Amino acid sequence: MTRSKDFDFVGLFLWVFRAVILILIVWGTYATIADNPYETRTWVDFIIFGLAQGSMYALIAIGYTLVYGVLFMINFAHGEFFMAGILTTTVVITTPLSESGFLNEQPILSLLIIAISSMAVSIFISVLTERIAYRPLRKAPRLVPLITAIGASYFWQNYFRGLFGSGIKPIPQIEILDGTIPLDFLGTTMLKSHVLVIVTTIVMLIALNFFIMKTKTGKAIRAVAEDKDVANLMGINVDQTISITFATGAAMAGIAGVLYSLVFRQVHFFMGFIPGIKAFTAAVLGGIGSLPGAAVGGLLLGMFESVGPSLFLRGLGIPAFNQLKDVIAFTMLVMVLIFRPQGIVGEVLSEKKA
Amino acid sequence: MENILCVNNVTKRFGGLVAVNNFSVDIIENSISAVIGPNGAGKTTLFNLITGFYSTDEGSIIFEEDVPCDNRPTDQITRLGITRTYQNIRLFANMSALENILVGQEPLLHSFWAEAIWRSKRFVNEEAEALEEAQRLLNFVGLQGLGDQLSRNLPYGAQRRLEIARALASKPKLLLLDEPTAGMNPNETGEMTRFIQHLRDELGITILMIEHDMKVVMDISEQISVMDYGSKIAEGKPKEIQSNPRVIEAYLGRGAASGLETVTA
Amino acid sequence: MNIKKTYRDAWNTGWTAGIVALSISALGLAELFAKRNIVSGVITMGQVMVFIVPIVMAYNFTKNLSMEQRKTGPLFGAVIGATTAIPLVLLIIASTLFNIRDIFVNVSPSLIELLTFGQENAYLGGLLLLVSMALLSYLSAYTHQLPEKIKRSLFTGLITILLVGMFSEILTERIRSIFGAIFGSSVGSAIVRFLFKSKAIQSIPAIVVFAIATYVGYRKIPKTEEEKNKSKRAFIVDGKVQWKTVIPLAVLLLILPLLLGTYLSEVTNNVGIYILMGLGLNIVVGFAGLLDLGYVAFFAIGAYTMAVLTSTGPLGLFGMSFWLALPICVIVAALAGVMLGIPVLRMRGDYLAIVTLGFGEIISRLAISDMLKPYVGGAQGILQIPKPSIGSLVFTKPEVLYYVVLAGVLLALFVSWRLRDSRLGRQWMAMREDEDVAEAMGINLMKTKILAFSIGAAFSGLAGAIFASKLTSIFPHSFNVLISINVLSLIIVGGIGSLPGVIVGAAVLIGLPELLREFAEYRLLMYGLLLIVMMLAKPEGFVPSEVHKRELHATDEDFVAEAGD
């Protein structure tokens, strides 16, 4: 919707806001590069870490984008589906698998069991949430489902806290994921767990693409995203399709949860919230509603977050700049939502309905 | 007689679609004018351009001979003296009828917001006057005693009138009515027609309306512009329009049923 | 009617109840509250929490039955009760077979003991549980067959005894100090010893209280709708202040701390600070319809401004007095509201919520970072903030600080009320209803939104300033997104846009958990659940705003976007 506005105060303010951020970034980058504090290898490590982190954001972002594409709502509780994946991983990997020694005897099989159970739990709570908290409110004003989504988010967070306890839990190391592999052509090494993250993400994204584009269910999802009423007339079960959409997003988030636990190896019930918001940032960055956008947005955000503090903030002479990693991510969120809500990567898929 | 509004060669595009194409019209002060045309011809877009809701891509819109009002913020245009109603009634659904009219009086109120806290004399007087005026307007449109009803609980016809009362509340010079008789039965339509005439005759407000009901248009408007695909295809007095072959083609050729569509639109 | 279908429905309802009861058990709620006796040595709150689920479900289920089916209602109740017990019985059996606690940390032996009534044999205990749940649900469903009057008096009695039991700890303390003050401390203690034992009411007094409450419930004649409206106390009727209601209330508010004592005054102060924040957010969300999730930022800004201006520690800059700093805090917060308001002005609905959340997170990260440590103290916060004082009187005790909070709340209430019934209030509501049309009515959206943001922020800043001075030290961890969620929850539960709703919401959502301190850990679980349940069942809140019970019940069809032409 275009709006006519002359030069005005708000425009000026926003312009200044944008200019200040840009100047800070350019200045910081310049000062850092002039100072040249790290070797190339360190930068490559930053980027690799960013890619691994970004892959997880991408997987979570898929869920936001799918649900937004279909229902035009921000599923605020999506971060908790990711958290459910994390906590399920913790429980499954510790109690039955690690204690019996099965984990290191049959690592591949164990990983499969972990992945399937995490996905199952994530899918279960996402479908339940949709059924109870969102479906009855589909025709309500937009803020209403957003409020229930916030409620659902805190409900699940604390439900899992009650079930599994509130402490930080360690995750046992899987031997085959221990150590690094050399990357000679870049002159650095890469953690095996990071390799697993990136490979799994690529596989999942390809599978998702196939599911959405080629299968009948995928077509139904796209049809519902296009127009629910028409889809209904064409004989598509809209409610069921929406449930499947939620389940698909939650499955991706569940996998992301598994990967997250394997990489960071310390988990906590509150862990879904911040990555959830960041993944939402990634989804918006890539143009919400667009699947490739979510993937690209996730990777971009991961890299910014990983390289950003050292590149932008170090040059500004900020002490302990790594503490401000999240500030970079949230600044990106704010900037993107204010200045380019249609995203910077993907095209606008659903602007007309938004 | 002066022109209260001059729309000069205005064009508006949405992506590849040209919604309004090089359109011009002059509205004479104290007249009743109408814009007609098949559905999707760009009539409501024209209203949105005049009220500043959309920005124009080309051309100019001049109010009262010398005030340019294209690309001016909507609220300022209202303050100049142009108000409107909507095709699909857009009242403040969960506010009472009186409150709706009070909001309409916005451009006439001057008290500073914080005066309400200590209830300054100016604020109290202004509010009392505003309330009195709102009550008067409510009676004027024939909704006596319905002031405390939530506007969404009012019957359809009452909502239409309330919307007009709200638009009148700021004492506009030019009133844009978007399909004022849509969805009404012949009885109500007749009443509304007389009411519109009354507005012009009694209050001296210039009226520009979009209307599908040809009887209404031919009965009360003094000047008619016909739009099709965003362009003006004819202009003139009702008699001239009725016999214009291009108009007949635009209507009968494509959308003979356009009168019906207004109900579902 | 199909009786078979009703049995199936009862069976399904029972399973739902079973999952809820299982959740209450497995999340640790039941065990936690097992320590709180309702009637000393007879029943604990933990037991109540588990058993209340099938009882309420059975009651509601039979209530919705047709007259004809109600005759067999108690049987359906029994089915529900028995079905509810199934998941719990399975839990009991599972716990004997393997160590379930490795996974579900709260499934402890004492929980099993609670569920099996202390029976050694798990199967016998499970059976006991099943039978007692079925029996209680049977009785609960049976109440529908009692005369209305008896039913009502029974409920009055039960609820009274439950409340007395729940809050017996506070009652003990209050009775001791009030009776002690009047008759001497030995009499006070004697009364307490007679009534209470191990923080719960004794059996015999319990029966007496139950009998009295039941009798009162029996004698009380329910008011008709008309009488209810008549007795509704309004402070102002037709522009005249009703002194009859205002004066007693004012006196009550003034002497309240004397009645409450230190601990309850402290709780009241916390509630008051949340009321202040709630009133502010109510303007932003309730009046203007802008969902702000970063609202805690203004609370933090108010608190930090107070800290920096008044602290006598190394980070305090001016060593100002509380009273001088207070208006500055409010102004700084209001300006922050303007600054944060401007960038988000052009956004609608959900995007606005996320951006404000983002801003809130940025501010909390900055507050904790080393970058701003020289100014705001990083994670160590700012210490040595003086309490308010007048001359030599320092407001140290919560009973005295209460008056500062009260003054703040009354001021905010007054401003909210006056603005709501003014031109600005109408502008806000119009904007909330339909932004485009509001603008077409000549409302300057930018100005109206910024005003909502900054007035809301000012209230929050005031709350923050009082908060800082009350605690005398502040840490960035106190200002996280959960505060925004708490405030949002309380205004939604109270009734969005409703001023009394804010007070009720704060009292229930902030005050109650402070009285039931074990509850703290489960507070957010309940808030989350409440947000969902409220939106589904009662979107206008428990104390809806008088004139406008509107909006949230409306469907999208009322607001169809203008379709092209």
Side-chain angles (χ1 to χ4, degrees):
Chain A
M1 206 169 291
T2 49
R3 276 181 161 248
S4 50
K5 282 280 185 289
D6 280 0
F7 173 81
D8 59 343
F9 178 61
V10 176
L12 176 73
F13 186 92
L14 290 179
W15 190 85
V16 171
F17 182 66
R18 188 165 12 183
V20 166
I21 302 265
L22 273 179
I23 288 169
L24 283 179
I25 290 176
V26 172
W27 182 20
T29 309
Y30 172 76
T32 309
I33 290 173
D35 190 32
N36 195 16
Y38 306 116
E39 297 169 41
T40 319
R41 191 192 146 154
T42 317
W43 289 115
V44 174
D45 285 346
F46 280 148
I47 290 176
I48 291 175
F49 181 81
L51 282 177
Q53 177 85 58
S55 303
M56 295 179 225
Y57 289 153
L59 285 176
I60 310 172
I62 298 285
Y64 282 108
T65 259
L66 277 174
V67 168
Y68 196 91
V70 171
L71 287 180
F72 304 108
M73 75 169 272
I74 299 173
N75 179 14
F76 203 87
H78 188 65
E80 311 316 325
F81 305 161
F82 164 69
M83 179 273 301
I86 296 182
L87 285 187
T88 312
T89 305
T90 322
V91 168
V92 174
I93 204 172
T94 318
T95 311
L97 294 179
S98 179
E99 279 173 10
S100 62
F102 188 76
L103 184 63
N104 285 320
E105 279 165 30
Q106 294 285 348
I108 305 289
L109 197 57
S110 296
L111 282 175
L112 271 179
I113 293 173
I114 292 167
I116 288 169
S117 45
S118 297
M119 276 161 80
V121 173
S122 293
I123 289 174
F124 176 73
I125 70 164
S126 79
V127 171
L128 198 64
T129 308
E130 193 275 328
R131 182 70 190 80
I132 292 173
Y134 302 158
R135 192 181 294 178
L137 297 170
R138 222 173 267 159
K139 290 212 158 153
R142 268 175 105 174
L143 282 190
V144 173
L146 184 65
I147 290 171
T148 54
I150 294 170
S153 172
Y154 283 90
F155 176 77
W156 285 123
Q157 216 172 75
N158 289 279
Y159 196 89
F160 275 77
R161 171 192 170 153
L163 279 185
F164 300 129
S166 58
I168 295 178
K169 296 185 188 347
I171 295 206
Q173 177 70 284
I174 304 180
E175 273 160 27
I176 56 158
L177 290 179
D178 203 5
T180 58
I181 57 164
L183 287 180
D184 290 332
F185 59 100
L186 291 171
T188 185
T189 57
M190 192 169 170
L191 286 172
K192 282 183 186 162
S193 54
H194 283 173
V195 178
L196 177 75
V197 169
I198 292 171
V199 170
T200 313
T201 304
I202 291 170
V203 171
M204 290 307 288
L205 289 179
I206 291 171
L208 177 79
N209 195 49
F210 176 81
F211 174 68
I212 298 285
M213 292 302 166
K214 302 285 183 214
T215 63
K216 211 176 159 197
T217 324
K219 279 183 191 143
I221 291 178
R222 282 185 292 148
V224 172
E226 204 57 49
D227 191 324
K228 280 192 262 308
D229 296 333
V230 174
N232 194 17
L233 289 178
M234 303 309 250
I236 294 171
N237 183 339
V238 174
D239 282 343
Q240 196 192 339
T241 308
I242 289 173
S243 286
I244 292 173
T245 312
F246 271 83
T248 312
M252 295 289 157
I255 286 292
V258 176
L259 298 174
Y260 193 92
S261 339
L262 294 177
V263 171
F264 292 99
R265 298 188 43 220
Q266 276 203 335
V267 304
H268 190 239
F269 73 96
F270 197 61
M271 256 174 178
F273 187 72
I274 297 295
I277 305 283
K278 286 186 186 165
F280 174 74
T281 312
V284 179
L285 203 59
I288 197 154
S290 142
L291 287 178
V296 177
L299 292 179
L300 261 182
L301 183 71
M303 299 231 273
F304 259 98
E305 228 187 35
S306 152
V307 178
S310 312
L311 186 62
F312 312 140
L313 300 181
R314 192 179 200 285
L316 296 174
I318 293 173
F321 49 82
N322 270 322
Q323 287 175 336
L324 300 183
K325 205 173 86 172
D326 287 355
V327 173
I328 290 191
F330 288 123
T331 309
M332 274 179 91
L333 168 75
V334 168
M335 299 286 284
V336 171
L337 282 183
I338 292 175
F339 297 111
R340 275 196 74 83
Q342 70 272 44
I344 55 174
V345 191
E347 56 186 315
V348 192
L349 288 184
S350 51
E351 186 67 5
K352 63 176 164 65
K353 298 170 198 162
Chain B
M1 275 203 284
E2 281 182 57
N3 290 333
I4 191 164
L5 187 80
C6 302
V7 176
N8 302 320
N9 307 91
V10 164
T11 297
K12 176 68 189 173
R13 298 182 196 89
F14 293 110
L17 176 83
V18 186
V20 174
N21 186 9
N22 199 18
F23 186 88
S24 301
V25 68
D26 292 336
I27 309 296
I28 300 160
E29 197 168 347
N30 210 11
S31 68
I32 297 180
S33 312
V35 180
I36 63 171
N39 278 327
K43 302 182 300 288
T44 296
T45 308
L46 177 69
F47 270 25
N48 281 332
L49 289 169
I50 296 174
T51 54
F53 189 68
Y54 293 151
S55 56
T56 54
D57 290 329
E58 282 162 37
S60 66
I61 301 172
I62 311 289
F63 184 59
E64 294 190 315
E65 306 283 348
D66 56 354
V67 188
C69 67
D70 47 316
N71 297 329
R72 195 184 271 264
T74 305
D75 55 314
Q76 286 188 27
I77 289 178
T78 307
R79 283 167 193 275
L80 288 176
I82 304 177
T83 58
R84 69 175 291 186
T85 65
Y86 296 84
Q87 181 185 343
N88 46 343
I89 309 172
R90 287 174 80 174
L91 288 164
F92 302 118
N94 296 299
M95 295 170 82
S96 72
L98 265 182
E99 281 176 319
N100 267 279
I101 302 178
L102 283 170
V103 171
Q105 291 185 43
E106 226 8 79
L108 305 178
L109 304 179
H110 302 289
S111 71
F112 178 57
W113 64 269
E115 283 177 47
I117 298 172
W118 63 85
R119 299 248 155 118
S120 71
K121 206 166 187 185
R122 176 165 72 149
F123 171 82
V124 174
N125 291 341
E126 196 178 85
E127 286 288 290
E129 277 164 31
L131 200 62
E132 202 175 307
E133 172 68 12
Q135 199 66 57
R136 200 187 61 73
L137 273 168
L138 202 66
N139 297 345
F140 178 71
V141 295
L143 299 177
Q144 295 88 334
L146 295 176
D148 291 332
Q149 297 275 326
L150 287 193
S151 64
R152 66 186 165 116
N153 295 339
L154 293 175
Y156 184 82
Q159 290 195 4
R160 280 250 174 247
R161 287 150 183 240
L162 178 59
E163 207 187 18
I164 292 177
R166 184 179 69 180
L168 290 176
S170 62
K171 303 206 188 314
K173 295 169 187 151
L174 172 63
L175 176 62
L176 310 180
L177 300 174
D178 199 340
E179 299 193 22
T181 68
M184 288 186 170
N185 63 31
N187 241 343
E188 291 171 320
T189 303
E191 233 173 86
M192 182 56 79
T193 315
R194 281 190 295 280
F195 180 68
I196 293 169
Q197 239 168 348
H198 179 74
L199 283 181
R200 194 268 308 265
D201 298 344
E202 301 287 310
L203 304 179
I205 298 169
T206 314
I207 286 169
L208 172 63
M209 62 178 176
I210 294 172
E211 186 51 65
H212 276 296
D213 188 324
M214 283 308 130
K215 187 171 179 317
V216 176
V217 174
M218 297 304 161
D219 272 1
I220 57 171
S221 45
E222 283 131 27
Q223 186 202 15
I224 299 172
S225 304
V226 188
M227 258 182 128
D228 196 16
Y229 290 116
S231 308
K232 184 164 75 179
I233 57 169
E235 186 176 35
K237 306 243 176 277
K239 279 268 150 52
E240 300 160 19
I241 296 297
Q242 271 168 324
S243 53
N244 187 317
R246 288 192 66 186
V247 178
I248 295 167
E249 189 210 314
Y251 266 89
L252 296 182
R254 290 207 339 261
S258 63
L260 280 178
E261 282 168 51
T262 57
V263 181
T264 50
Chain C
M1 287 290 268
N2 188 347
I3 209 102
K4 229 178 194 170
K5 190 184 166 293
T6 315
Y7 272 114
R8 207 176 321 123
D9 286 347
W11 166 257
N12 289 338
T13 311
W15 273 102
T16 313
I19 300 297
V20 175
L22 184 68
S23 297
I24 290 175
S25 309
L27 295 179
L29 271 162
E31 194 196 338
L32 191 71
F33 282 100
K35 288 173 204 120
R36 201 176 268 266
N37 283 307
I38 296 285
V39 179
S40 183
V42 178
I43 187 166
T44 71
M45 199 168 154
Q47 286 163 325
V48 171
M49 290 190 81
V50 176
F51 281 95
I52 200 119
V53 179
I55 292 175
V56 169
M57 288 278 201
Y59 181 84
N60 274 338
F61 186 83
T62 9
K63 192 170 151 191
N64 296 332
L65 288 180
S66 66
M67 265 312 163
E68 181 192 347
Q69 286 194 328
R70 270 200 192 177
K71 281 178 206 139
T72 38
L75 283 180
F76 298 127
V79 170
I80 290 173
T83 322
T84 308
I86 295 176
L88 294 172
V89 171
L90 290 178
L91 182 77
I92 295 168
I93 294 171
S95 72
T96 59
L97 298 178
F98 55 92
N99 192 357
I100 204 168
R101 204 179 181 184
D102 278 351
I103 298 175
F104 301 108
V105 292
N106 282 311
V107 184
S108 62
S110 55
L111 171 73
I112 302 300
E113 198 188 313
L114 182 144
L115 291 177
T116 54
F117 302 96
Q119 289 291 330
E120 290 287 323
N121 185 328
Y123 295 93
L124 187 64
L127 190 66
L128 207 58
L129 178 74
L130 195 129
V131 171
S132 55
M133 274 199 166
L135 190 68
L136 283 170
S137 307
Y138 180 94
L139 290 176
S140 153
Y142 181 77
T143 54
H144 287 295
Q145 307 198 350
L146 297 173
E148 190 64 24
K149 214 170 175 183
I150 294 177
K151 185 169 107 184
R152 201 181 50 242
S153 61
L154 268 178
F155 282 140
T156 319
L158 282 174
I159 288 170
T160 312
I161 202 74
L162 204 63
L163 287 177
V164 169
M166 255 161 76
F167 298 112
S168 50
E169 194 179 347
I170 295 146
L171 282 174
T172 315
E173 195 266 334
R174 285 289 80 202
I175 289 174
R176 178 175 291 141
S177 75
I178 290 175
F179 281 88
I182 301 171
F183 304 111
S185 62
S186 59
V187 180
S189 300
I191 295 175
V192 166
R193 263 201 309 280
F194 171 69
L195 291 175
F196 298 99
K197 190 183 163 194
S198 64
K199 289 180 184 167
I201 191 160
Q202 303 242 43
S203 308
I204 294 170
I207 292 168
V208 175
V209 169
F210 177 75
I212 294 173
T214 309
Y215 179 72
V216 170
Y218 185 76
R219 290 306 299 264
K220 209 175 87 181
I221 302 147
K223 286 175 180 158
T224 61
E225 203 56 35
E226 200 180 323
E227 281 171 320
K228 257 185 202 161
N229 286 337
K230 213 188 234 173
S231 69
K232 197 175 271 173
R233 303 238 162 111
F235 300 129
I236 294 179
V237 175
D238 300 331
K240 287 192 198 90
V241 181
Q242 299 298 101
W243 294 112
K244 262 191 308 198
T245 45
V246 171
I247 289 175
L249 187 80
V251 171
L252 179 72
L253 282 177
L254 280 177
I255 62 162
L256 198 60
L258 296 176
L259 300 176
L260 293 179
T262 306
Y263 175 64
L264 285 181
S265 294
E266 176 66 23
V267 172
T268 311
N269 290 348
N270 290 339
V271 171
I273 283 173
Y274 269 97
I275 292 179
L276 261 177
M277 278 197 276
L279 287 171
L281 192 63
N282 188 45
I283 287 182
V284 185
V285 181
F287 293 171
L290 309 163
L291 186 53
D292 179 359
L293 293 182
Y295 189 63
V296 63
F298 307 123
F299 183 61
I301 286 168
Y304 270 102
T305 310
M306 175 55 84
V308 168
L309 290 178
T310 65
S311 168
T312 53
L315 291 172
L317 290 181
F318 304 100
M320 270 184 205
S321 82
F322 171 82
W323 306 106
L324 188 61
L326 197 62
I328 301 179
C329 296
V330 173
I331 291 167
V332 169
L335 286 178
V338 176
M339 299 289 285
L340 290 189
I342 291 175
V344 303
L345 279 177
R346 288 178 183 165
M347 262 168 225
R348 290 174 192 213
D350 34 14
Y351 272 27
L352 182 107
I354 301 281
V355 167
T356 49
L357 180 72
F359 268 124
E361 288 297 309
I362 290 175
I363 287 183
S364 74
R365 294 301 138 99
L366 288 178
I368 215 167
S369 72
D370 285 356
M371 181 171 91
L372 295 179
K373 195 169 180 179
Y375 314 103
V376 298
Q380 281 82 43
I382 302 182
L383 313 174
Q384 296 173 34
I385 306 163
K387 297 226 174 195
S389 61
I390 298 174
S392 60
L393 169 73
V394 185
F395 290 33
T396 320
K397 293 179 78 177
E399 289 98 315
V400 190
L401 212 55
Y402 163 85
Y403 293 101
V404 178
V405 178
L406 178 69
V409 168
L410 288 180
L411 178 74
L413 261 178
F414 183 75
V415 171
S416 292
W417 164 55
R418 282 287 171 93
L419 288 182
R420 184 194 65 193
D421 296 347
S422 80
R423 190 183 155 202
L424 185 60
R426 290 196 301 268
Q427 291 178 342
W428 282 334
M429 284 172 212
M431 192 169 76
R432 184 194 59 199
E433 294 289 316
D434 190 329
E435 242 177 51
D436 298 332
V437 180
E439 192 175 17
M441 292 298 121
I443 293 173
N444 183 338
L445 293 183
M446 180 179 91
K447 194 179 140 202
T448 314
K449 283 186 183 176
I450 289 183
L451 273 174
F453 250 85
S454 60
I455 296 173
F459 287 3
S460 189
L462 179 63
I466 298 176
F467 176 78
S469 167
K470 173 172 155 308
L471 289 189
T472 69
S473 51
I474 52 170
F475 306 99
H477 294 286
S478 325
F479 306 100
N480 56 37
V481 65
L482 300 180
I483 306 249
S484 305
I485 303 297
N486 291 350
V487 181
L488 180 69
S489 306
L490 77 87
I491 65 172
I492 282 171
V493 168
I496 227 166
S498 146
L499 299 181
V502 173
I503 298 170
V504 173
V508 174
L509 260 57
I510 309 298
L512 214 55
E514 296 226 17
L515 296 184
L516 302 170
R517 261 161 304 157
E518 306 94 311
F519 202 63
E521 224 179 302
Y522 295 92
R523 205 154 134 164
L524 282 160
L525 182 80
M526 287 299 141
Y527 288 2
L529 199 61
L530 265 177
L531 284 186
I532 300 174
V533 172
M534 292 300 294
M535 285 297 117
L536 289 173
K538 219 171 157 43
E540 73 276 17
F542 284 117
V543 194
S545 51
E546 294 249 336
V547 205
H548 328 270
K549 291 190 182 174
R550 63 197 135 196
E551 146 181 39
L552 292 160
H553 274 308
T555 62
D556 254 351
E557 283 141 45
D558 295 342
F559 304 104
V560 186
E562 195 177 4
D565 194 343

